């Protein structure tokens, strides 16, 4: 499955990033080490007129540390002055933290949920998660 996900992501990078705002906060829920998302973040940053904010959110401090290190090591992101703002929190708290902080800056919020952990939620939890995201992007 990861190879298929990678191929789909690579084939659709332009379509996924074209509609994004130039004043963007890209918030990734359950980001882990960010390896799966880095190309998407790099493409979005390349298209943005202003420095992009990438906010990886995870409950693992170790994963966020790896994510931030990978971000810092990305030449395309450094060239675009992109900012990495990790959020150590569960999904719900991360949504509210990102919405409050980046919304107050006047940034458009884009929430990514690239992981396969959605299957760990029951239907009510999935609905609640998407409603919480919807409250910040509506």
């Amino acid at each position: 499955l990861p190879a298929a996900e990678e191929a789909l992501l690579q084939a659709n990078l332009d379509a996924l990033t074209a509609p994004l705002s130039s004043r963007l906060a890209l918030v990734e829920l359950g980001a882990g080490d960010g390896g799966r998302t880095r190309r998407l973040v790099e493409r979005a940053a390349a298209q943005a007129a202003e420095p992009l904010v990438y906010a990886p959110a995870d409950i693992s401090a170790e994963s966020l540390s790896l994510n931030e290190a990978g971000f810092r090591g990305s030449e395309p992101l450094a060239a675009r002055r992109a900012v990495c703002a990790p959020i150590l929190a569960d999904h719900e708290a991360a949504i509210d933290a990102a919405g409050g902080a980046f919304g107050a800056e006047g940034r458009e919020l884009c929430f990514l949920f690239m992981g396969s952990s959605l299957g760990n939620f029951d239907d009510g939890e999935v609905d609640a998660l998407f409603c919480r995201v919807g409250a910040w992007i509506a």
Side-chain angles (χ1 to χ4, degrees), residues 57-127:
D58 207 286
I59 59 171
S60 167
E62 182 178 346
S63 291
L64 286 176
S65 179
L66 291 170
N67 190 318
E68 193 170 16
F71 184 95
R72 282 193 313 266
S74 167
E75 198 170 304
L77 291 172
R80 297 295 301 168
R81 299 180 334 266
V83 175
C84 186
I87 301 170
L88 181 62
D90 64 20
H91 296 327
E92 292 81 8
I95 291 166
D96 292 340
F102 305 124
E105 293 177 4
R107 291 192 175 272
E108 181 178 317
L109 297 168
C110 177
F111 289 93
L112 298 173
F113 194 33
M114 304 290 283
S116 58
S117 64
L118 195 58
N120 296 333
F121 295 97
D122 65 34
D123 290 346
E125 291 170 323
V126 170
D127 290 345

Side-chain angles (χ1 to χ4, degrees), residues 5-6 9 28 31 33-40 114-116:
E5 288 175 353
E6 183 65 30
L9 182 61
E28 183 179 11
D33 67 7
R36 192 179 327 185
T37 313
R38 188 139 311 113
R39 274 188 288 270
L40 185 132
M114 304 290 283
S116 58

